[in-house]
Every structure is written in structure tokens, then in C-alpha cells.
Amino acid sequence: MKIRSEFTCPLEVTLDMISGKWKPIIIWRLRLGKQQLSTLNKDIQGINQKMLIQHLSELIECGIVEKITYGGYPLKVEYFLTELGWKFLRGLEVFQKIGQEYLGQYDNKSFLSNAR
Amino acid sequence: MKIRSEFTCPLEVTLDMISGKWKPIIIWRLRLGKQQLSTLNKDIQGINQKMLIQHLSELIECGIVEKITYGGYPLKVEYFLTELGWKFLRGLEVFQKIGQEYLGQYDNKSFLSNAR
DNA sequence: CCGTATCCTCTGCGATACTG
DNA sequence: CAGTATCGCAGAGGATACGG
């Protein structure tokens, strides 16, 4: 995770903290409560386990997510949002709404043809 | 600009639209009103002209920004937010606040040592 | 003052295999 | 079920030069 050192305003730092293809959606999923790795892996379309763990680690590193490790077999670990994480969630809710309105509103969004 | 085709929720599409090192800060700057390229270039720490134009083009492509080209010499072009752009701005305001609180609150944010 | 074209580096992301 | 280790590649981002 790279956080830029020079920045024009705090916004840049905050967004660097959740920059990564899957970080926002991970936070978004954790709004539903504590989640296991396997659950997240199943629920997030297109992600793989390695990226999931990597992104979760970085989210933990900057205090957005925490985890609880239960002993025993099979292993059980639960990830959940910290208080800081919930603040980020409030920002993501705005973008979720924009996305909902926008995707429903128009039919030809030419830039979406770049979709992969 | 690549927008993922499979996604878990609209949030991912919306964030793909502003993904790019400088896009959020460009939008943020445009909250102040119409801006010229040279002004943005001067005001945004660390950006260069090529990236600025590239990111502006992509923001125009997906309807977040528009531009007006005035004839004459020297050339004058002004960039500004569309209605959709202002919606994104409301989301960014949340992250700006988080950043302000957060940066002021603690002194040792270890992950910031990765800053470059 | 705006914008385009090259070239080059570096890293984010994905596939895959393996360990506790 | 959770996590680590390797390897490879496409593409994002930056320096620099040129053109309208």
C-alpha cells in the first residue's frame, strides 16, 4: 500500500487508504457484520483468495478493519469494521446511491464498452 | 479507463469511474468553479500536465466533467463539473472530512511510513 | 496555453501451487 | 478454512519532447 507523501488535501490520503480494486467492496460487504474469508470470497464476484487476503491485510494495517482469530479446527477467523471503517462506509454509501441511479437511468454509457 | 464488467454491486462501477491517482482531487478542485488546465496543474501538488489531461479526458468520457473551448490566442479552455460530477463531489466531501479528522487526531500512523 | 506522441519503469493484480 | 510464496504480465503513471 502506497500513500503519497505530498498531497493537496487530506482527501488524497483517505482515498489512498482504500485504493485497490477490491477494498471498497470489501468494506461494503462488512457492513453486514462480521464475515469469514470464505464468505467474502464467495460473495464478491471475480475476486480470488490471494487478493482478498492482501487487501484485508492492508485495511487492517491502516485501521479500517480488524479480525478475530478463533482457535480449533477447522480454523475460524472473522473480519469486521472498526469505528474508522464505519466512517468510510458512510462515504461509500453515497457512491452506491450514485451507481444505482446512474445504472438505471441511461442505457448507453459508451465508456462501459471498455468493460472487461 | 477500465470498468469491470462483473460486479457485486453498483458501488464498484461508480468507483471505477473515478479510479486513477488524480481523478478525485481534480473533481475536488473543480468544486471551486471553472478551472483552466494551467491552474489545475499549478494547484495540484505532484501532478504533471500529461496525467492531468489524460484524467480530465476520462472524466469527460464518463460524464463527470465538461469543458468549454474559447477561440483566440492564447488558447483558453475551462473545465467544470457536470451535474453528475457534483454528485460525486458530495461523496468526496465525506472522505475529505474523514481525512481531516484522522490526520489531526493521531501522530503515529505507521502505514504512513510507506509514504513516497 | 493546450494537447499529442514516445518511451520506459514499476506495481497492481491474477494464476497457481503449497503449508498449518 | 486460512494464509504464504512465486512467477508473469498488462497497464497505470511519469519524463520528455514536439506540435497547433
Side-chain angles (χ1 to χ4, degrees), chain A residues 1-82:
Chain A
M1 180 176 45
K2 295 295 179 187
I3 311 286
R4 72 196 82 183
S5 53
E6 287 184 34
F7 49 88
T8 305
C9 68
L11 173 65
E12 291 172 274
V13 178
T14 322
L15 288 175
D16 280 353
M17 289 166 69
I18 55 168
S19 83
K21 186 171 178 182
W22 306 103
K23 281 189 195 141
I25 184 68
I26 290 172
I27 297 174
W28 185 249
R29 280 269 125 197
L30 292 178
R31 84 191 185 285
L32 302 173
K34 295 188 178 67
Q35 302 282 323
Q36 297 195 193
L37 196 67
S38 52
T39 312
L40 292 169
N41 205 348
K42 186 170 56 61
D43 290 345
I44 301 177
Q45 298 299 319
I47 200 172
N48 63 52
Q49 191 181 331
K50 183 210 160 197
M51 287 312 300
L52 186 52
I53 291 180
Q54 181 179 313
H55 279 154
L56 280 166
S57 303
E58 294 178 356
L59 288 171
I60 290 172
E61 192 184 351
C62 60
I64 293 175
V65 168
E66 283 181 7
K67 73 173 177 181
I68 306 175
T69 304
Y70 303 90
Y73 275 94
L75 284 174
K76 184 178 176 182
V77 176
E78 286 182 326
Y79 294 90
F80 60 97
L81 293 178
T82 63

